[in-house]
Tab-separated table of all heavy atoms in Angstrom:
chain	number	residue	atom	x	y	z
A	9	THR	N	-14.881	-2.134	3.304
A	9	THR	CA	-13.672	-2.955	3.389
A	9	THR	C	-12.455	-2.074	3.643
A	9	THR	O	-11.605	-2.389	4.480
A	9	THR	CB	-13.475	-3.768	2.090
A	9	THR	OG1	-14.616	-4.601	1.899
A	9	THR	CG2	-12.216	-4.615	2.154
A	30	GLY	N	7.455	3.850	-12.255
A	30	GLY	CA	7.128	5.269	-12.328
A	30	GLY	C	7.432	5.897	-10.982
A	30	GLY	O	8.561	5.884	-10.535
A	56	LYS	N	4.463	-9.874	12.862
A	56	LYS	CA	5.501	-10.884	13.068
A	56	LYS	C	5.996	-11.441	11.732
A	56	LYS	O	7.207	-11.541	11.504
A	56	LYS	CB	4.964	-12.013	13.940
A	56	LYS	CG	5.988	-13.076	14.248
A	56	LYS	CD	5.409	-14.146	15.172
A	56	LYS	CE	6.435	-15.221	15.465
A	56	LYS	NZ	5.901	-16.243	16.374
A	68	ASP	N	13.205	-5.668	1.852
A	68	ASP	CA	11.752	-5.738	2.001
A	68	ASP	C	11.358	-4.966	3.249
A	68	ASP	O	11.707	-5.352	4.367
A	68	ASP	CB	11.272	-7.193	2.119
A	68	ASP	CG	11.388	-7.947	0.814
A	68	ASP	OD1	11.486	-7.290	-0.243
A	68	ASP	OD2	11.369	-9.180	0.852
A	71	HIS	N	5.237	-2.074	6.000
A	71	HIS	CA	4.426	-0.875	6.222
A	71	HIS	C	3.055	-1.318	6.700
A	71	HIS	O	2.484	-2.275	6.164
A	71	HIS	CB	4.227	-0.080	4.923
A	71	HIS	CG	5.484	0.475	4.358
A	71	HIS	ND1	6.056	1.635	4.818
A	71	HIS	CD2	6.287	0.024	3.365
A	71	HIS	CE1	7.157	1.879	4.121
A	71	HIS	NE2	7.307	0.916	3.240
A	97	SER	N	11.473	14.860	-3.282
A	97	SER	CA	10.986	16.234	-3.378
A	97	SER	C	9.632	16.329	-4.056
A	97	SER	O	9.064	17.404	-4.164
A	97	SER	CB	12.003	17.086	-4.134
A	97	SER	OG	12.123	16.592	-5.453
A	106	VAL	N	-14.984	7.647	-1.551
A	106	VAL	CA	-16.365	8.088	-1.429
A	106	VAL	C	-17.282	6.904	-1.197
A	106	VAL	O	-17.015	5.791	-1.626
A	106	VAL	CB	-16.815	8.855	-2.696
A	106	VAL	CG1	-16.035	10.142	-2.846
A	106	VAL	CG2	-16.656	8.007	-3.934
Side-chain angles (χ1 to χ4, degrees):
T9 301
K56 182 178 179 179
D68 289 341
H71 296 279
S97 63
V106 295

